[in-house]
Amino acid sequence: MRRSIAGRLEVVLVEDAVPAARILAREIAELVRGRGERTVVLGLAAGRTPVPLYRELVRMRHEEGLALDEATLVQLDEYLELPAGHPASFSSFLRRELLEPAGIPAERLIAPPCDAAEGERELACAAIEHAIRAAGGIDLQILGIGLNGHLGFNEPGSHRDSRTRVVELDEETRRHAARDFGSIEDVPRKAITLGLGTILDARRVRALAFGAEKADVVHRMLGEDVGPALPASFLREHGDAMLVVDGDAAPW
Ligand code: F6R
């Protein structure tokens, strides 16, 4: 493991996703075990990248009694206009990879309000912001990085202070998601995402990037100017953010 710093972002180089999962699962376990009166609030990404982390958390739940069922979980984003229970939805993903195997009741998850009627979405998104604040704010946010530098579904051009809202997905994002839907035509065009401001309000932010397909975006997020053209670059300004990469994603 090697550590370096880009701006205020700590970059940790690991061999592969397995040690990365161990590092972050240990950190989450310390938060959960060390909590005071308030339950720990974890922000969770879907996608391929965090799967080994969720498997490690499930293992710790069963083998070490980690009280994950007492945490509050916040789902980072979700596609709009998918039938309930669609296997490629992020809520199905989180249920499958974490909630069910770890025995976490569905009520512990704060999820994007994709079932709200179109005219009520804005209010429903504001209610998510309120629910996060009422829970005490996100203690630790897990993120993957999009090939175009998106965080959650905050695509390039998203404002630093954006909050939870409906967004249009970039073509590159839809192309990447086609692997989960079978074809690009089946990938929704819109989604609801926590905003960049919502994400960056988290006390700790932990981003993961593995594999050669992420090398270009990791290189850009460490070297390009911080700004909306590359939302992931904002992590360099967060006071407690870490990027964990493997050798294939590391641009050095
Ligand atoms: C998922 C999400 C996305 C993904 C990103 C990387 O909840 O918000 O930003 O983290 O697109 O996806 P993977 O991990 O599949 O490469």
Side-chain angles (χ1 to χ4, degrees):
M1 181 165 68
R2 228 174 65 208
R3 291 176 187 266
S4 55
I5 296 285
R8 304 172 74 194
L9 175 68
E10 183 177 10
V11 184
V12 178
L13 174 66
V14 291
E15 199 154 330
D16 57 41
V18 174
R22 281 202 204 105
I23 292 169
L24 292 190
R26 208 175 306 132
E27 184 174 12
I28 289 171
E30 275 165 22
L31 272 178
V32 170
R33 290 185 177 124
R35 77 189 187 282
E37 296 287 286
R38 194 171 66 73
T39 61
V40 168
V41 182
L42 301 173
L44 302 176
R48 307 271 158 112
T49 310
V51 169
L53 168 62
Y54 299 155
R55 300 220 164 123
E56 176 64 4
L57 287 173
V58 169
R59 188 198 66 74
M60 290 171 93
R61 166 88 182 114
H62 293 296
E63 294 179 15
E64 299 171 19
L66 179 64
L68 269 180
D69 52 328
E70 290 170 15
T72 298
L73 308 179
V74 181
Q75 182 179 326
L76 176 59
D77 45 11
E78 181 61 283
Y79 298 105
L80 264 177
E81 282 151 20
L82 274 188
H86 190 290
S89 74
F90 289 166
S91 56
S92 296
F93 167 91
L94 283 177
R95 239 193 350 263
R96 201 165 57 231
E97 295 294 335
L98 187 63
L99 276 80
E100 280 170 4
I104 303 172
E107 308 83 73
R108 300 233 55 100
L109 183 69
I110 298 174
C114 291
D115 49 359
E118 200 170 341
E120 287 162 19
R121 281 179 191 149
E122 207 176 312
L123 263 182
C125 287
I128 293 294
E129 293 278 333
H130 179 78
I132 294 171
R133 275 196 305 277
I138 297 174
D139 291 296
L140 188 148
Q141 174 68 53
I142 297 293
L143 294 173
I145 312 275
L147 295 178
N148 62 357
H150 70 209
L151 292 184
F153 276 145
N154 293 281
E155 303 284 27
S158 298
H159 200 276
R160 156 74 181 78
D161 297 324
S162 54
R163 312 305 304 189
T164 302
R165 67 199 185 290
V166 174
V167 290
E168 295 226 352
L169 298 176
D170 272 12
E171 278 313 291
E172 186 173 5
T173 298
R174 294 186 62 243
R175 265 200 307 279
H176 190 63
R179 61 189 183 174
D180 298 325
F181 285 87
S183 84
I184 186 162
E185 289 77 43
D186 294 330
V187 180
R189 294 183 180 275
K190 290 186 177 183
I192 294 182
T193 183
L194 299 194
L196 285 176
T198 323
I199 292 169
L200 295 168
D201 278 351
R203 293 180 187 86
R204 303 183 196 187
V205 180
R206 303 293 181 253
L208 298 160
F210 306 126
E213 68 170 5
K214 298 290 168 78
D216 179 58
V217 71
V218 169
H219 178 74
R220 293 181 59 208
M221 75 179 270
L222 299 181
E224 280 183 14
D225 289 346
V226 173
L230 196 71
S233 65
F234 285 116
L235 297 183
R236 283 169 33 216
E237 294 182 341
H238 188 278
D240 191 345
M242 185 193 281
L243 170 68
V244 187
V245 292
D246 65 4
D248 290 337
W252 55 84

